[in-house]
């Protein structure tokens, strides 16, 4: 079944105060741009308005103190309707921290905002979202959604790509350079003009050759040093 979420990271910000909402949007937008991933940000001034659209969001910055449905109540609704959504609570009410734990908030950010806290929250959320992010692909013209960690490698194919998993080869009508924008850059590496590999799924690497099960993929000479650095930095032995 198709997921309602798009390949773009969807971010929601909810706060009753217009000036705080504007400031937080500015900070989050700056940090999202740093990730290099496509994103969209929408703002809300009430929990109810947010909940009406919550299924489409990957990440939510949520104020606790709001009239009507407060942040804790809103958080409970988010868990019920979109359990994969990352909730970042924003508040100056530290005494409500125990309530925040009840809604499994991903982060708690204090007011007034600290840029480093925003940066860390955005980076951590984006990292987890990307790792589990689904990509729409086709098999025999039938649409499927697959998770990035399930991809072994990707091959360019006449302006489109073939996406290879353990059990199937899918097609996506998108150039590799565009697909790279939505993939986790810490895990996917383009090793030559045709192939991009998922570093954690490499079986063996030796003498410039990557083994993906029975598939052997050569690393281009000019990319060998950069690939080996990325391979080692990722902690694969």
């Amino acid at each position: 079944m198709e997921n309602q979420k798009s390949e773009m990271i969807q971010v929601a910000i909810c706060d009753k105060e217009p000036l705080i909402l504007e400031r937080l949007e500015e900070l989050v937008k700056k940090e999202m741009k740093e990730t290099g991933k496509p994103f969209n940000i929408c703002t809300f001034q009430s929990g109810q308005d947010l909940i009406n659209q919550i299924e489409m969001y990957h990440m939510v910055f949520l104020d606790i103190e709001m009239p009507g449905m407060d942040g804790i109540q809103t958080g409970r609704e988010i868990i019920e309707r979109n359990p994969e959504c990352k909730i970042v609570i924003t508040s100056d009410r530290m005494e409500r921290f125990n309530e925040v734990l009840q809604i499994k908030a991903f982060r708690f950010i204090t007011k007034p905002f600290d840029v480093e806290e925003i940066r860390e929250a955005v980076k951590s959320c984006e990292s987890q979202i990307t790792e589990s992010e689904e990509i729409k692909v086709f098999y025999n013209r039938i649409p499927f959604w697959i998770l990035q960690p399930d991809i072994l490698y990707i091959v360019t194919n006449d302006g489109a790509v073939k996406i290879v998993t353990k059990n199937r080869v899918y097609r996506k009508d998108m150039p590799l350079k565009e697909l790279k924008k939505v993939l986790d850059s810490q895990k996917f590496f383009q090793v030559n003009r045709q192939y991009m590999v998922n570093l954690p799924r490499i079986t063996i690497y030796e003498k410039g050759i990557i083994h993906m099960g029975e598939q052997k993929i050569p690393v281009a000479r000019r990319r060998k040093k950069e690939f080996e650095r990325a391979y080692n930095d990722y902690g694969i032995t």
Side-chain angles (χ1 to χ4, degrees), residues 55 59 62 69 79 90 93 102 123 174 196 206 214 228:
E55 285 83 2
M59 182 190 317
L62 183 63
M69 181 183 287
I79 293 172
T90 64
R93 298 284 303 277
Q102 296 174 17
K123 185 177 179 180
M174 175 184 286
M196 173 172 280
E206 57 184 7
E214 297 181 358
E228 291 179 349

XYZ file of all heavy atoms in Angstrom, residues 55 59 62 69 79 90 93 102 123 174 196 206 214 228:
120
model
N -0.906 13.083 9.504
C -0.437 11.874 8.817
C 0.683 12.150 7.828
O 1.471 11.252 7.513
C -1.604 11.191 8.089
C -2.565 10.447 9.000
C -3.599 11.347 9.639
O -3.583 12.563 9.339
O -4.433 10.850 10.426
N 8.292 15.098 11.120
C 8.913 15.756 12.274
C 8.018 16.900 12.731
O 7.534 17.672 11.907
C 10.290 16.298 11.832
C 11.114 16.967 12.894
S 12.593 17.840 12.192
C 13.231 16.693 10.987
N 6.702 21.033 18.801
C 5.410 21.200 19.457
C 5.536 21.927 20.792
O 6.240 21.473 21.702
C 4.797 19.809 19.665
C 3.416 19.700 20.281
C 2.368 20.369 19.402
C 3.063 18.216 20.480
N -6.471 22.180 23.082
C -5.646 20.969 23.092
C -4.185 21.358 23.293
O -3.546 21.911 22.403
C -5.824 20.219 21.759
C -5.021 18.924 21.674
S -5.197 18.104 20.062
C -6.876 17.476 20.199
N 0.910 10.251 18.395
C 1.328 8.857 18.576
C 0.281 7.903 18.033
O 0.592 6.878 17.423
C 1.584 8.565 20.079
C 2.797 9.346 20.568
C 1.785 7.068 20.317
C 2.992 9.255 22.067
N 8.914 21.896 22.633
C 9.548 23.190 22.918
C 8.805 23.840 24.080
O 7.585 23.996 24.021
C 9.499 24.113 21.687
O 8.138 24.411 21.365
C 10.147 23.445 20.476
N 8.729 25.241 30.487
C 8.099 24.628 31.658
C 8.763 23.287 31.974
O 8.266 22.225 31.621
C 6.603 24.440 31.410
C 5.830 25.729 31.178
C 5.601 26.469 32.486
N 4.896 25.640 33.450
C 3.570 25.509 33.464
N 2.820 26.144 32.570
N 2.983 24.746 34.379
N 5.764 10.776 28.654
C 4.599 9.941 28.362
C 4.260 9.902 26.879
O 3.664 8.943 26.398
C 3.388 10.446 29.148
C 3.540 10.353 30.656
C 2.366 11.007 31.382
O 1.312 11.243 30.792
N 2.553 11.312 32.654
N 19.234 17.558 13.203
C 20.176 16.576 12.657
C 19.800 15.156 13.070
O 19.816 14.226 12.261
C 21.592 16.896 13.126
C 22.661 15.999 12.521
C 24.047 16.425 12.967
C 25.106 15.503 12.368
N 26.476 15.907 12.788
N 13.762 8.234 -12.329
C 14.432 9.413 -11.790
C 15.933 9.266 -12.051
O 16.491 8.194 -11.821
C 14.167 9.522 -10.278
C 14.928 10.643 -9.588
S 14.678 10.655 -7.776
C 13.001 11.291 -7.688
N 25.788 2.999 -7.459
C 25.819 3.563 -6.112
C 25.520 2.427 -5.150
O 24.592 1.648 -5.376
C 24.786 4.675 -5.954
C 24.646 5.189 -4.530
S 23.580 6.654 -4.428
C 24.739 7.903 -4.936
N 37.683 -5.699 -1.357
C 39.114 -5.980 -1.464
C 39.611 -5.652 -2.863
O 38.929 -5.900 -3.866
C 39.422 -7.444 -1.128
C 38.689 -8.462 -1.971
C 38.965 -9.898 -1.540
O 39.622 -10.075 -0.505
O 38.519 -10.822 -2.251
N 26.679 -12.162 -4.654
C 27.388 -12.663 -5.829
C 27.763 -11.543 -6.804
O 28.553 -11.760 -7.723
C 26.530 -13.707 -6.551
C 26.247 -14.955 -5.705
C 25.424 -15.972 -6.462
O 25.052 -15.680 -7.624
O 25.149 -17.048 -5.900
N 37.132 4.505 0.107
C 37.728 3.779 1.226
C 37.658 4.577 2.510
O 37.458 4.015 3.593
C 39.174 3.401 0.884
C 39.255 2.335 -0.204
C 40.678 1.975 -0.581
O 41.611 2.692 -0.147
O 40.858 0.978 -1.315
